[in-house]
Amino acid sequence: MFRSRPGRRGGRTAVLLAAATLMLTLAGCGTETVTPQAARADAGGDDKPGAASRRVDCARVKCIALTFDAGPGKDTPHLLDVLKEKRVPATFFLLGRKHVDRYPQVVRRIADEGHEVANHTWSHRILTDLDEDEVREELSRTQDAVERITGRRPVLMRPPQGRTDSTVSDVSRELGLAQVLWSITAKDYSTTDSALIRERVLDQAHRDGIILLHDIYDGTVPAVPGIIDELHRRGYTFVTVPELLAPGTARAGTVYRPEKD
């Protein structure tokens, strides 16, 4: 995978050429997929209106994004304590039914503490099994619920199981939602072994990666401090998904997915 080198502006043309080759297609659905590198290159290296404020330049710094799906849950407040202590931002793809509506104060805290609040549908139905109106309802209900609590509508969503197609993309575009997949997963839904969850994440970690975890499973939150500490030791900087794409801005309807080295 192409990476720009620190301090080298002469690689701009190569970056743009690489961006063109990094535009992929999800098999069988005709949905455009863009990597974080391509999103940054597409912005031409300059901050654009609406782009995430760049605490760091991920073209120069070894960035990685920590994301959590299907919360908030009972362990999310402790997770937020850990993230606050370690000064790590994260992106939370929130589930509406029995989560956002059950823990509104936690949703508010996620937003207030500077994390990215995103959409993971209302009831975790597989969107590719639904018709257009059903997809719209799954996403809109969570959009509305989050906005009532935080005053802001999410701009990112993650389809359950990562399953998307042209209909999902069209509705996402209509609702102003970019789709975010992942490149690192601990499959924490299959184990309560925190050491194993930590090991799986660390074994897959790579620059510009997006880590998928779930803050609703018993083994996950206890694994997070060790994941953060080791990735910090390896020289990674944690960012939210919008920061990973900056100075590019996530485009509604587009699917963003990192490539592994």
Side-chain angles (χ1 to χ4, degrees), residues 1-245:
M1 182 185 300
F2 180 89
R3 295 188 191 134
S4 62
R5 295 180 181 177
R8 292 285 298 275
R9 294 182 59 85
R12 175 70 57 77
T13 300
V15 171
L16 294 174
L17 290 173
T21 65
L22 289 168
M23 305 296 285
L24 306 176
T25 301
L26 290 178
C29 71
T31 302
E32 179 185 48
T33 305
V34 179
T35 66
Q37 297 95 323
R40 296 195 298 262
D42 186 56
D46 298 317
D47 290 314
K48 304 293 184 182
S53 176
R54 286 198 288 178
R55 295 180 303 111
V56 295
D57 183 350
C58 290
R60 298 171 179 268
V61 175
K62 191 163 71 169
C63 293
I64 198 164
L66 186 59
T67 73
F68 297 92
D69 279 13
K74 62 180 178 59
D75 295 327
T76 306
H78 177 55
L79 172 61
L80 290 170
D81 291 342
V82 171
L83 297 175
K84 185 174 184 179
E85 177 188 352
K86 296 184 178 296
R87 299 183 180 181
V88 166
T91 302
F92 287 83
F93 292 90
L94 303 182
L95 199 60
R97 185 168 64 90
K98 297 184 180 180
H99 293 273
V100 169
D101 60 356
R102 181 174 291 177
Y103 300 101
Q105 72 283 1
V106 180
V107 175
R108 189 173 298 110
R109 181 182 169 189
I110 291 169
D112 288 348
E113 294 187 359
H115 304 289
E116 186 72 17
V117 180
N119 188 327
H120 194 46
T121 75
W122 184 255
S123 59
H124 209 265
R125 298 178 71 188
I126 304 303
L127 298 181
T128 51
D129 292 340
L130 307 180
D131 65 28
E132 182 177 320
D133 288 340
E134 290 171 321
V135 172
R136 186 177 293 107
E137 181 179 11
E138 278 289 308
L139 294 173
S140 294
R141 291 187 70 180
T142 300
Q143 290 289 90
D144 294 343
V146 170
E147 184 178 28
R148 283 195 297 271
I149 295 167
T150 69
R152 179 176 177 270
R153 295 177 77 79
V155 297
L156 305 177
M157 80 86 152
R158 177 169 284 158
Q161 297 184 9
R163 292 172 60 182
T164 187
D165 59 18
S166 58
T167 298
V168 176
S169 294
D170 288 345
V171 174
S172 297
R173 187 176 301 109
E174 171 193 323
L175 297 177
L177 289 164
Q179 303 176 74
V180 179
L181 304 185
W182 60 89
S183 58
I184 301 160
T185 177
K187 298 183 178 179
D188 52 349
Y189 52 81
S190 66
T191 180
T192 59
D193 186 338
S194 298
L196 179 59
I197 292 169
R198 175 181 179 276
E199 178 184 354
R200 286 174 173 173
V201 171
L202 296 177
D203 284 349
Q204 299 172 64
H206 64 95
R207 184 174 185 169
D208 291 322
I210 297 178
I211 302 168
L212 166 62
L213 292 169
H214 299 78
D215 46 329
I216 59 171
Y217 298 126
D218 290 344
T220 300
V221 172
V224 170
I227 290 169
I228 290 172
D229 289 347
E230 177 58 22
L231 290 179
H232 272 153
R233 191 190 68 79
R234 295 182 188 182
Y236 284 94
T237 295
F238 287 92
V239 293
T240 64
V241 170
E243 288 174 327
L244 188 65
L245 306 181

